[in-house]
Amino acid sequence: MTADTPSDEAAPPDPTLNRLSASLGAMPKRGPPPVETWNPPYCGAIDMRIAADGTWFHNGSPIRRPALVKLFASILRREPDGSTVLVTPVESVGITVDDAPFVAVEMAVEGTGEARRIAFRTNVDDLVPLGEAHALRFEQDEAGGLRPYIHVRRDLWALLTRALTYDLVALGEEREIDGVPWFGLAAAGSFHPIAPAEAA
C-alpha cells in the first residue's frame, strides 16, 4: 500500500450504509427483523450488488466488515416483482443480486434414508435445516451443470457451493415416481427429486 492509498479503516464513512444501519439501531437483536410487516416508501436503487459467490459490493468495492454484511443480509426482502430490496422501517432501496443472495458453505448430515437430517450454514451464518420450510430446488446452468439451492427465508435462497453440490449428489439414489425413474435425495421424511435418472 502506498502513502496515497487509504486503507479501509481510513476511508470516510459511507452515508448510505450509515443511514441504513442507523435506522435499525433500535430494533431488537434476537431473530431476523420483521421486514415482511414493514411498508416504507421505495427510495430507488443504490449501487450495491451481491455477487454469485456471496460477496457484497458497494460502489464497486467489496464490503469487508462481516458484521455489516450480516446486518444487511437480515433486512433483505424479495418483492412480488422479483426484485430484491434492503428494507428498514423508514425506507427500502433496490440492490442487484447476481444469482442467489446467500451461499451455503457448510453441510451437516445425520442418519440415512428418509430419516436423514441435513442442515446447512450460509455465508452469513444462517443455520438452515432441510425440511418443509426450507426446501431444496435444482436448476441447470448454461453448461448443463447442476445448481442446487436451499430456501432460507421469505423467498430468499442460498446457492450451494460446488463442493457441497458434490457431497449432496453423493447421497443421491434412484427411485420411481409415477412410473419414471428419478435420481434424488432421501431426507427430512421425503424424497427430493433432482433430475430424471436418464439425465443424471
Side-chain angles (χ1 to χ4, degrees):
M1 181 186 304
T2 69
D4 297 327
T5 305
S7 66
D8 287 345
E9 289 75 12
D14 183 273
T16 302
L17 302 189
N18 284 352
R19 187 181 73 248
L20 290 168
S21 299
S23 66
L24 296 167
M27 296 301 301
K29 299 297 187 270
R30 290 181 63 84
V35 299
E36 64 279 359
T37 67
W38 296 341
N39 189 30
Y42 179 69
C43 298
I46 61 173
D47 187 4
M48 187 176 287
R49 178 174 70 90
I50 306 176
D53 67 356
T55 302
W56 287 59
F57 291 85
H58 184 249
N59 290 335
S61 299
I63 301 175
R64 301 191 184 280
R65 296 185 336 195
L68 193 59
V69 169
K70 290 180 183 180
L71 175 66
F72 290 148
S74 73
I75 58 170
L76 282 172
R77 188 171 74 188
R78 188 170 173 84
E79 301 292 66
D81 64 2
S83 63
T84 303
V85 298
L86 296 175
V87 60
T88 76
V90 297
E91 68 177 314
S92 73
V93 292
I95 68 169
T96 299
V97 180
D98 288 356
D99 191 336
F102 307 117
V103 177
V105 295
E106 288 184 357
M107 179 174 72
V109 181
E110 184 178 280
T112 59
E114 291 189 3
R116 179 185 287 129
R117 295 189 300 172
I118 301 177
F120 300 90
R121 182 180 69 83
T122 73
N123 59 315
V124 291
D125 290 334
D126 286 305
L127 300 178
V128 186
L130 174 62
E132 186 175 346
H134 302 286
L136 279 170
R137 67 178 171 88
F138 302 89
E139 296 182 2
Q140 282 193 334
D141 59 25
E142 294 179 355
L146 183 68
R147 299 176 68 81
Y149 300 81
I150 181 79
H151 180 246
V152 178
R153 62 179 176 272
R154 304 187 292 251
D155 200 26
L156 300 172
W157 296 76
L159 172 68
L160 274 64
T161 64
R162 185 177 299 275
L164 288 192
T165 299
Y166 290 142
D167 291 344
L168 194 71
V169 169
L171 300 173
E173 61 185 79
E174 284 191 23
R175 289 194 185 182
E176 195 169 280
I177 301 176
D178 297 329
V180 178
W182 277 78
F183 180 77
L185 175 71
S190 61
F191 183 72
H192 307 267
I194 296 176
E198 62 181 19

mmCIF file of all heavy atoms in Angstrom, residues 65-97:
data_model
loop_
_atom_site.group_PDB
_atom_site.id
_atom_site.type_symbol
_atom_site.label_atom_id
_atom_site.label_comp_id
_atom_site.label_asym_id
_atom_site.label_seq_id
_atom_site.Cartn_x
_atom_site.Cartn_y
_atom_site.Cartn_z
ATOM 1 N N ARG A 65 -16.568 -5.639 6.116
ATOM 2 C CA ARG A 65 -16.932 -5.828 7.524
ATOM 3 C C ARG A 65 -18.022 -6.891 7.621
ATOM 4 O O ARG A 65 -19.182 -6.641 7.247
ATOM 5 C CB ARG A 65 -17.397 -4.512 8.134
ATOM 6 C CG ARG A 65 -16.293 -3.474 8.172
ATOM 7 C CD ARG A 65 -16.676 -2.188 8.889
ATOM 8 N NE ARG A 65 -18.098 -1.921 8.923
ATOM 9 C CZ ARG A 65 -18.610 -0.733 9.242
ATOM 10 N NH1 ARG A 65 -17.826 0.269 9.533
ATOM 11 N NH2 ARG A 65 -19.906 -0.555 9.275
ATOM 12 N N PRO A 66 -17.691 -8.092 8.098
ATOM 13 C CA PRO A 66 -18.693 -9.168 8.168
ATOM 14 C C PRO A 66 -19.942 -8.779 8.952
ATOM 15 O O PRO A 66 -21.057 -9.161 8.581
ATOM 16 C CB PRO A 66 -17.938 -10.312 8.846
ATOM 17 C CG PRO A 66 -16.496 -10.056 8.541
ATOM 18 C CD PRO A 66 -16.354 -8.563 8.531
ATOM 19 N N ALA A 67 -19.787 -8.018 10.024
ATOM 20 C CA ALA A 67 -20.951 -7.644 10.828
ATOM 21 C C ALA A 67 -21.920 -6.786 10.015
ATOM 22 O O ALA A 67 -23.141 -6.908 10.164
ATOM 23 C CB ALA A 67 -20.506 -6.900 12.082
ATOM 24 N N LEU A 68 -21.386 -5.917 9.157
ATOM 25 C CA LEU A 68 -22.240 -5.067 8.331
ATOM 26 C C LEU A 68 -22.956 -5.900 7.276
ATOM 27 O O LEU A 68 -24.150 -5.707 7.017
ATOM 28 C CB LEU A 68 -21.395 -3.975 7.676
ATOM 29 C CG LEU A 68 -22.146 -2.818 7.017
ATOM 30 C CD1 LEU A 68 -23.037 -2.103 8.024
ATOM 31 C CD2 LEU A 68 -21.159 -1.839 6.389
ATOM 32 N N VAL A 69 -22.246 -6.845 6.667
ATOM 33 C CA VAL A 69 -22.879 -7.736 5.686
ATOM 34 C C VAL A 69 -24.008 -8.525 6.350
ATOM 35 O O VAL A 69 -25.108 -8.656 5.795
ATOM 36 C CB VAL A 69 -21.833 -8.685 5.069
ATOM 37 C CG1 VAL A 69 -22.517 -9.777 4.257
ATOM 38 C CG2 VAL A 69 -20.869 -7.907 4.185
ATOM 39 N N LYS A 70 -23.781 -9.053 7.551
ATOM 40 C CA LYS A 70 -24.825 -9.817 8.243
ATOM 41 C C LYS A 70 -26.023 -8.940 8.565
ATOM 42 O O LYS A 70 -27.177 -9.379 8.467
ATOM 43 C CB LYS A 70 -24.257 -10.442 9.518
ATOM 44 C CG LYS A 70 -23.279 -11.567 9.264
ATOM 45 C CD LYS A 70 -22.751 -12.128 10.578
ATOM 46 C CE LYS A 70 -21.708 -13.202 10.324
ATOM 47 N NZ LYS A 70 -21.177 -13.762 11.597
ATOM 48 N N LEU A 71 -25.756 -7.692 8.953
ATOM 49 C CA LEU A 71 -26.857 -6.775 9.245
ATOM 50 C C LEU A 71 -27.711 -6.556 8.006
ATOM 51 O O LEU A 71 -28.944 -6.681 8.048
ATOM 52 C CB LEU A 71 -26.305 -5.441 9.744
ATOM 53 C CG LEU A 71 -27.348 -4.335 9.965
ATOM 54 C CD1 LEU A 71 -28.290 -4.702 11.104
ATOM 55 C CD2 LEU A 71 -26.670 -2.996 10.224
ATOM 56 N N PHE A 72 -27.077 -6.258 6.877
ATOM 57 C CA PHE A 72 -27.837 -6.013 5.663
ATOM 58 C C PHE A 72 -28.519 -7.284 5.165
ATOM 59 O O PHE A 72 -29.631 -7.228 4.633
ATOM 60 C CB PHE A 72 -26.931 -5.419 4.583
ATOM 61 C CG PHE A 72 -26.495 -4.012 4.889
ATOM 62 C CD1 PHE A 72 -25.254 -3.549 4.480
ATOM 63 C CD2 PHE A 72 -27.308 -3.146 5.593
ATOM 64 C CE1 PHE A 72 -24.839 -2.254 4.758
ATOM 65 C CE2 PHE A 72 -26.908 -1.853 5.887
ATOM 66 C CZ PHE A 72 -25.669 -1.400 5.469
ATOM 67 N N ALA A 73 -27.862 -8.433 5.339
ATOM 68 C CA ALA A 73 -28.490 -9.691 4.929
ATOM 69 C C ALA A 73 -29.782 -9.940 5.703
ATOM 70 O O ALA A 73 -30.726 -10.540 5.179
ATOM 71 C CB ALA A 73 -27.521 -10.849 5.133
ATOM 72 N N SER A 74 -29.846 -9.459 6.936
ATOM 73 C CA SER A 74 -31.035 -9.694 7.762
ATOM 74 C C SER A 74 -32.221 -8.841 7.331
ATOM 75 O O SER A 74 -33.361 -9.121 7.725
ATOM 76 C CB SER A 74 -30.717 -9.418 9.234
ATOM 77 O OG SER A 74 -30.597 -8.022 9.492
ATOM 78 N N ILE A 75 -31.990 -7.802 6.512
ATOM 79 C CA ILE A 75 -33.095 -6.940 6.086
ATOM 80 C C ILE A 75 -33.346 -7.046 4.580
ATOM 81 O O ILE A 75 -33.949 -6.163 3.974
ATOM 82 C CB ILE A 75 -32.865 -5.468 6.504
ATOM 83 C CG1 ILE A 75 -31.556 -4.915 5.927
ATOM 84 C CG2 ILE A 75 -32.890 -5.344 8.016
ATOM 85 C CD1 ILE A 75 -31.412 -3.396 6.107
ATOM 86 N N LEU A 76 -32.888 -8.131 3.984
ATOM 87 C CA LEU A 76 -33.203 -8.388 2.578
ATOM 88 C C LEU A 76 -34.662 -8.806 2.449
ATOM 89 O O LEU A 76 -35.195 -9.545 3.284
ATOM 90 C CB LEU A 76 -32.331 -9.511 2.033
ATOM 91 C CG LEU A 76 -30.889 -9.182 1.660
ATOM 92 C CD1 LEU A 76 -30.139 -10.469 1.339
ATOM 93 C CD2 LEU A 76 -30.846 -8.237 0.464
ATOM 94 N N ARG A 77 -35.294 -8.370 1.379
ATOM 95 C CA ARG A 77 -36.659 -8.816 1.079
ATOM 96 C C ARG A 77 -36.815 -8.954 -0.426
ATOM 97 O O ARG A 77 -36.364 -8.092 -1.186
ATOM 98 C CB ARG A 77 -37.692 -7.830 1.628
ATOM 99 C CG ARG A 77 -39.127 -8.342 1.511
ATOM 100 C CD ARG A 77 -40.099 -7.445 2.265
ATOM 101 N NE ARG A 77 -40.347 -6.182 1.583
ATOM 102 C CZ ARG A 77 -41.029 -5.168 2.111
ATOM 103 N NH1 ARG A 77 -41.505 -5.263 3.350
ATOM 104 N NH2 ARG A 77 -41.221 -4.062 1.423
ATOM 105 N N ARG A 78 -37.438 -10.027 -0.840
ATOM 106 C CA ARG A 78 -37.749 -10.218 -2.257
ATOM 107 C C ARG A 78 -39.165 -9.712 -2.502
ATOM 108 O O ARG A 78 -40.114 -10.127 -1.829
ATOM 109 C CB ARG A 78 -37.622 -11.692 -2.642
ATOM 110 C CG ARG A 78 -37.750 -11.952 -4.136
ATOM 111 C CD ARG A 78 -37.368 -13.383 -4.464
ATOM 112 N NE ARG A 78 -37.625 -13.725 -5.842
ATOM 113 C CZ ARG A 78 -36.802 -13.480 -6.845
ATOM 114 N NH1 ARG A 78 -35.649 -12.874 -6.604
ATOM 115 N NH2 ARG A 78 -37.106 -13.838 -8.074
ATOM 116 N N GLU A 79 -39.290 -8.824 -3.466
ATOM 117 C CA GLU A 79 -40.576 -8.200 -3.755
ATOM 118 C C GLU A 79 -41.390 -9.049 -4.740
ATOM 119 O O GLU A 79 -40.833 -9.910 -5.435
ATOM 120 C CB GLU A 79 -40.346 -6.798 -4.323
ATOM 121 C CG GLU A 79 -39.576 -5.872 -3.385
ATOM 122 C CD GLU A 79 -40.349 -5.492 -2.144
ATOM 123 O OE1 GLU A 79 -40.635 -6.384 -1.312
ATOM 124 O OE2 GLU A 79 -40.670 -4.293 -2.006
ATOM 125 N N PRO A 80 -42.701 -8.819 -4.814
ATOM 126 C CA PRO A 80 -43.540 -9.597 -5.738
ATOM 127 C C PRO A 80 -43.094 -9.523 -7.194
ATOM 128 O O PRO A 80 -43.326 -10.460 -7.964
ATOM 129 C CB PRO A 80 -44.934 -8.974 -5.549
ATOM 130 C CG PRO A 80 -44.911 -8.430 -4.156
ATOM 131 C CD PRO A 80 -43.504 -7.932 -3.944
ATOM 132 N N ASP A 81 -42.433 -8.431 -7.581
ATOM 133 C CA ASP A 81 -41.980 -8.313 -8.973
ATOM 134 C C ASP A 81 -40.647 -9.019 -9.214
ATOM 135 O O ASP A 81 -40.095 -8.961 -10.306
ATOM 136 C CB ASP A 81 -41.883 -6.846 -9.393
ATOM 137 C CG ASP A 81 -40.831 -6.060 -8.600
ATOM 138 O OD1 ASP A 81 -40.133 -6.668 -7.743
ATOM 139 O OD2 ASP A 81 -40.698 -4.848 -8.826
ATOM 140 N N GLY A 82 -40.107 -9.689 -8.181
ATOM 141 C CA GLY A 82 -38.858 -10.422 -8.331
ATOM 142 C C GLY A 82 -37.623 -9.622 -7.970
ATOM 143 O O GLY A 82 -36.525 -10.177 -7.941
ATOM 144 N N SER A 83 -37.776 -8.346 -7.695
ATOM 145 C CA SER A 83 -36.623 -7.535 -7.303
ATOM 146 C C SER A 83 -36.260 -7.805 -5.846
ATOM 147 O O SER A 83 -37.046 -8.365 -5.077
ATOM 148 C CB SER A 83 -36.921 -6.045 -7.510
ATOM 149 O OG SER A 83 -38.000 -5.639 -6.674
ATOM 150 N N THR A 84 -35.050 -7.398 -5.473
ATOM 151 C CA THR A 84 -34.581 -7.565 -4.105
ATOM 152 C C THR A 84 -34.277 -6.197 -3.529
ATOM 153 O O THR A 84 -33.654 -5.353 -4.181
ATOM 154 C CB THR A 84 -33.319 -8.446 -4.058
ATOM 155 O OG1 THR A 84 -33.608 -9.716 -4.659
ATOM 156 C CG2 THR A 84 -32.875 -8.687 -2.620
ATOM 157 N N VAL A 85 -34.735 -5.965 -2.301
ATOM 158 C CA VAL A 85 -34.527 -4.677 -1.647
ATOM 159 C C VAL A 85 -33.938 -4.888 -0.261
ATOM 160 O O VAL A 85 -34.083 -5.957 0.343
ATOM 161 C CB VAL A 85 -35.844 -3.863 -1.529
ATOM 162 C CG1 VAL A 85 -36.403 -3.544 -2.895
ATOM 163 C CG2 VAL A 85 -36.876 -4.605 -0.680
ATOM 164 N N LEU A 86 -33.267 -3.853 0.225
ATOM 165 C CA LEU A 86 -32.965 -3.718 1.638
ATOM 166 C C LEU A 86 -34.072 -2.862 2.213
ATOM 167 O O LEU A 86 -34.374 -1.783 1.684
ATOM 168 C CB LEU A 86 -31.616 -3.039 1.853
ATOM 169 C CG LEU A 86 -30.374 -3.778 1.354
ATOM 170 C CD1 LEU A 86 -29.143 -2.904 1.544
ATOM 171 C CD2 LEU A 86 -30.196 -5.088 2.078
ATOM 172 N N VAL A 87 -34.697 -3.326 3.293
ATOM 173 C CA VAL A 87 -35.854 -2.614 3.819
ATOM 174 C C VAL A 87 -35.661 -2.336 5.304
ATOM 175 O O VAL A 87 -35.194 -3.189 6.059
ATOM 176 C CB VAL A 87 -37.155 -3.410 3.554
ATOM 177 C CG1 VAL A 87 -37.121 -4.775 4.202
ATOM 178 C CG2 VAL A 87 -38.377 -2.642 4.006
ATOM 179 N N THR A 88 -35.959 -1.106 5.694
ATOM 180 C CA THR A 88 -35.954 -0.694 7.092
ATOM 181 C C THR A 88 -37.345 -0.131 7.394
ATOM 182 O O THR A 88 -38.169 0.007 6.486
ATOM 183 C CB THR A 88 -34.880 0.383 7.353
ATOM 184 O OG1 THR A 88 -35.340 1.640 6.843
ATOM 185 C CG2 THR A 88 -33.541 0.006 6.731
ATOM 186 N N PRO A 89 -37.610 0.223 8.641
ATOM 187 C CA PRO A 89 -38.940 0.804 8.916
ATOM 188 C C PRO A 89 -39.205 2.113 8.189
ATOM 189 O O PRO A 89 -40.363 2.523 8.069
ATOM 190 C CB PRO A 89 -38.907 1.009 10.442
ATOM 191 C CG PRO A 89 -37.940 -0.008 10.943
ATOM 192 C CD PRO A 89 -36.878 -0.069 9.887
ATOM 193 N N VAL A 90 -38.146 2.787 7.694
ATOM 194 C CA VAL A 90 -38.353 4.113 7.107
ATOM 195 C C VAL A 90 -38.104 4.182 5.603
ATOM 196 O O VAL A 90 -38.518 5.156 4.965
ATOM 197 C CB VAL A 90 -37.483 5.173 7.821
ATOM 198 C CG1 VAL A 90 -37.886 5.286 9.281
ATOM 199 C CG2 VAL A 90 -36.007 4.828 7.704
ATOM 200 N N GLU A 91 -37.447 3.182 5.021
ATOM 201 C CA GLU A 91 -37.196 3.227 3.574
ATOM 202 C C GLU A 91 -36.847 1.844 3.057
ATOM 203 O O GLU A 91 -36.449 0.955 3.804
ATOM 204 C CB GLU A 91 -36.048 4.189 3.245
ATOM 205 C CG GLU A 91 -34.699 3.730 3.740
ATOM 206 C CD GLU A 91 -33.570 4.665 3.349
ATOM 207 O OE1 GLU A 91 -33.524 5.081 2.171
ATOM 208 O OE2 GLU A 91 -32.722 4.969 4.205
ATOM 209 N N SER A 92 -37.018 1.667 1.741
ATOM 210 C CA SER A 92 -36.493 0.483 1.073
ATOM 211 C C SER A 92 -35.709 0.947 -0.145
ATOM 212 O O SER A 92 -36.058 1.943 -0.777
ATOM 213 C CB SER A 92 -37.612 -0.484 0.663
ATOM 214 O OG SER A 92 -38.348 -0.002 -0.435
ATOM 215 N N VAL A 93 -34.620 0.209 -0.436
ATOM 216 C CA VAL A 93 -33.771 0.564 -1.569
ATOM 217 C C VAL A 93 -33.466 -0.707 -2.358
ATOM 218 O O VAL A 93 -33.271 -1.785 -1.784
ATOM 219 C CB VAL A 93 -32.457 1.245 -1.106
ATOM 220 C CG1 VAL A 93 -32.739 2.605 -0.503
ATOM 221 C CG2 VAL A 93 -31.685 0.372 -0.127
ATOM 222 N N GLY A 94 -33.428 -0.580 -3.666
ATOM 223 C CA GLY A 94 -33.167 -1.726 -4.522
ATOM 224 C C GLY A 94 -31.684 -2.031 -4.623
ATOM 225 O O GLY A 94 -30.850 -1.120 -4.632
ATOM 226 N N ILE A 95 -31.364 -3.324 -4.703
ATOM 227 C CA ILE A 95 -29.992 -3.759 -4.917
ATOM 228 C C ILE A 95 -29.981 -4.805 -6.022
ATOM 229 O O ILE A 95 -31.027 -5.314 -6.429
ATOM 230 C CB ILE A 95 -29.338 -4.320 -3.638
ATOM 231 C CG1 ILE A 95 -30.003 -5.643 -3.221
ATOM 232 C CG2 ILE A 95 -29.408 -3.302 -2.497
ATOM 233 C CD1 ILE A 95 -29.247 -6.378 -2.126
ATOM 234 N N THR A 96 -28.776 -5.136 -6.505
ATOM 235 C CA THR A 96 -28.609 -6.132 -7.558
ATOM 236 C C THR A 96 -28.108 -7.432 -6.948
ATOM 237 O O THR A 96 -27.202 -7.425 -6.115
ATOM 238 C CB THR A 96 -27.586 -5.644 -8.603
ATOM 239 O OG1 THR A 96 -28.072 -4.432 -9.186
ATOM 240 C CG2 THR A 96 -27.378 -6.682 -9.694
ATOM 241 N N VAL A 97 -28.722 -8.545 -7.355
ATOM 242 C CA VAL A 97 -28.293 -9.870 -6.901
ATOM 243 C C VAL A 97 -27.971 -10.694 -8.144
ATOM 244 O O VAL A 97 -28.849 -10.947 -8.975
ATOM 245 C CB VAL A 97 -29.389 -10.557 -6.060
ATOM 246 C CG1 VAL A 97 -28.921 -11.933 -5.605
ATOM 247 C CG2 VAL A 97 -29.770 -9.699 -4.861
#
